[in-house]
Amino acid sequence: MTDATEREMLYDMVRRFAREHIAPHVTAWDEAGEFPRQLYRQAAELGLLGIGYPQELGGTAATHSLRAALWLALCRHGGSGGVLASLLSHNIGLPPVVALGSDVLKQQVVPDVLAGRKIAALAITEPGGGSDVAALRTRARREGDEYVIEGEKTFITSGMRADWITVAVRTGEQRGASGISLILVPGESAGLRRSPLHKMGWQCSDTAHLFFDGVRVPASHLLGAEGEGFRAIMQNFNGERLGIACAALGFAQACYDEALAWAQQRQTFGVTLNQHQVIRHKLVDMQQRMRSTEAWINAVCARADGGDSGADWVGEVCVLKNHATQTMQFCADTAVQILGGMGFMRGTLSERIYREVKVLTIGGGTEEIMKELAARQWRI
């Protein structure tokens, strides 16, 4: 079976899952501020949570191109950034565990998450700084066979109900990348408090402010060696940014689908909207940006699948994230314009995605940081 065939089959499976189990319920879930935990189990039963993870941990090895198909289908046909963010939060929380955790820790944590029984999250951002990871202040001091964690994290996706949280802490000097480590914290730990955050979008995704007040964690939960966390965080960001680019394209396509359907049935001045040249040209502008983004994603995934993860590829991922989120922004804005008054109404897909654009231009690295990182990779 070719990779193209596998990708088509996976896309079709996720499309059917999203249309049946997600899209009809998203508006109600947004109003409730969460989606049912049962959705994790349903996604896991299809193998969706395990894509890209080792088979011995309950996953399925997959190329970057195959993973892209999952993100694209889930976003285009599910139409909710909130569902995407929390349902797949393990894709930023688990990779450091898989890469750096002990065999015992991996077996304890990963299979349950991939089976949908547990939820994993990543906690890096702090109230005093976002993009400047090297300046984080949350500390972990070693006391015998434990680490004791003090500090705060904010804007943490799945932070309210995560069972496992991969936390960036300072174990070395007061400032700088070399003093940062990663520790896996159980969600039920004494001294861990959580406070919900209310957002412009992603309303059905729980987002939390976390407080660590003398949280004790076994020393065996250290991921890798002390002081090696910063490098792991940067590597983790590459996968997150590529996933964001795929998500942005899927959401742009969702906006196009809704705008096209509306233009084909809505009548003004005796004809349907798509019979007006100005509307047709807006739809073509959307296609232009989506097609360029799709071609770029395919090219970057192909490079990664060929083993390329060098500086040039990292720079390309950064600017691809910018390009894809700008495509999403353009398509969401254009779709709302084509829908007119209906595009301003809660319940339309384009209205929801319009509110969700900015979090993708910020999360995983802001546009400004992406440009600067690309400049450094390309020695500009």
Side-chain angles (χ1 to χ4, degrees):
M1 186 181 297
T2 66
D3 187 64
T5 301
E6 286 184 322
R7 182 171 178 172
E8 183 177 345
M9 291 176 60
L10 176 62
Y11 186 96
D12 185 61
M13 180 175 67
V14 178
R15 175 184 59 80
R16 286 184 277 111
F17 172 78
R19 287 184 173 180
E20 179 180 353
H21 295 287
I22 298 176
H25 311 293
V26 171
T27 298
W29 290 346
D30 274 354
E31 292 175 357
E34 64 179 9
F35 60 85
R37 285 188 69 125
Q38 179 186 0
L39 191 67
Y40 291 93
R41 290 290 191 102
Q42 293 171 328
E45 287 171 1
L46 291 177
L48 303 185
L49 302 188
I51 291 176
Y53 290 89
Q55 186 173 357
E56 62 269 21
L57 295 175
T60 304
T63 62
H64 285 81
S65 296
L66 201 58
R67 296 176 216 176
L70 165 65
W71 287 71
L72 286 166
L74 195 61
C75 295
R76 183 171 190 171
H77 302 287
S80 169
V83 171
L84 171 83
S86 283
L87 186 63
L88 299 185
S89 64
H90 69 289
N91 281 334
I92 56 175
L94 280 191
V97 180
V98 174
L100 301 171
S102 68
D103 290 341
V104 172
L105 189 62
K106 285 188 282 191
Q107 288 294 341
Q108 179 186 356
V109 174
V110 179
D112 275 348
V113 174
L114 299 187
R117 293 186 290 269
K118 301 290 184 179
I119 298 172
L122 177 70
I124 296 177
T125 303
E126 298 186 351
S131 298
D132 189 3
V133 177
L136 67 83
R137 301 184 196 179
T138 297
R139 296 199 62 84
R141 67 180 185 274
R142 182 74 180 261
E143 290 188 0
D145 293 332
E146 295 180 316
Y147 281 97
V148 182
I149 304 174
E150 306 276 356
E152 299 178 42
K153 299 292 180 179
T154 194
F155 310 142
I156 307 306
T157 300
S158 293
M160 289 302 298
R161 55 186 182 179
D163 302 291
W164 295 102
I165 309 169
T166 301
V167 183
V169 297
R170 185 164 296 285
T171 53
E173 59 266 26
Q174 294 296 322
R175 182 180 175 87
S178 61
I180 294 174
S181 303
L182 288 173
I183 296 178
L184 186 65
V185 177
E188 73 275 9
S189 299
L192 172 61
R193 293 187 295 112
R194 320 183 197 208
S195 177
L197 299 174
H198 303 286
K199 312 174 294 296
M200 177 192 300
W202 282 13
Q203 292 175 350
C204 65
S205 168
D206 73 82
T207 307
H209 191 134
L210 306 180
F211 303 87
F212 299 85
D213 184 11
V215 173
R216 291 183 173 271
V217 180
S220 59
H221 284 211
L222 178 69
L223 303 177
E226 281 196 7
E228 294 184 358
F230 185 81
R231 180 180 178 84
I233 291 168
M234 293 302 107
Q235 292 174 338
N236 203 43
F237 272 141
N238 292 327
E240 181 180 1
R241 289 161 185 162
L242 184 52
I244 288 174
C246 295
L249 174 58
F251 290 132
Q253 292 169 333
C255 288
Y256 175 83
D257 293 341
E258 185 173 61
L260 177 62
W262 180 259
Q264 289 173 335
Q265 60 93 16
R266 172 70 165 171
Q267 290 200 355
T268 61
F269 304 101
V271 297
T272 56
L273 282 179
N274 66 318
Q275 293 183 64
H276 296 291
Q277 184 186 66
V278 65
I279 300 299
R280 291 199 303 275
H281 286 189
K282 287 180 182 294
L283 292 165
V284 168
D285 286 341
M286 295 169 78
Q287 279 283 359
Q288 174 184 319
R289 287 162 174 80
M290 291 187 302
R291 287 172 184 249
S292 66
T293 303
E294 184 174 23
W296 200 350
I297 287 173
N298 290 340
V300 169
C301 285
R303 287 182 65 180
D305 290 336
D308 188 352
S309 59
D312 183 76
W313 181 83
V314 171
E316 194 161 359
V317 169
C318 291
V319 290
L320 169 59
K321 176 186 181 287
N322 282 359
H323 181 78
T325 53
Q326 288 166 10
T327 293
M328 175 185 173
Q329 188 167 27
F330 177 88
C331 290
D333 182 78
T334 302
V336 170
Q337 190 71 22
I338 290 174
L339 267 67
M342 186 58 67
F344 197 64
M345 296 294 105
R346 288 291 174 97
T348 60
L349 186 148
S350 298
E351 183 273 338
R352 181 188 310 116
I353 294 177
Y354 186 91
R355 287 184 285 107
E356 296 180 347
V357 166
K358 293 310 296 181
V359 69
L360 291 187
T361 68
I362 296 169
T366 65
E367 287 188 354
E368 296 79 8
I369 292 294
M370 291 300 90
K371 290 178 182 178
E372 184 59 24
L373 182 54
R376 293 178 185 175
Q377 303 303 309
W378 295 337
R379 299 182 184 276
I380 294 175

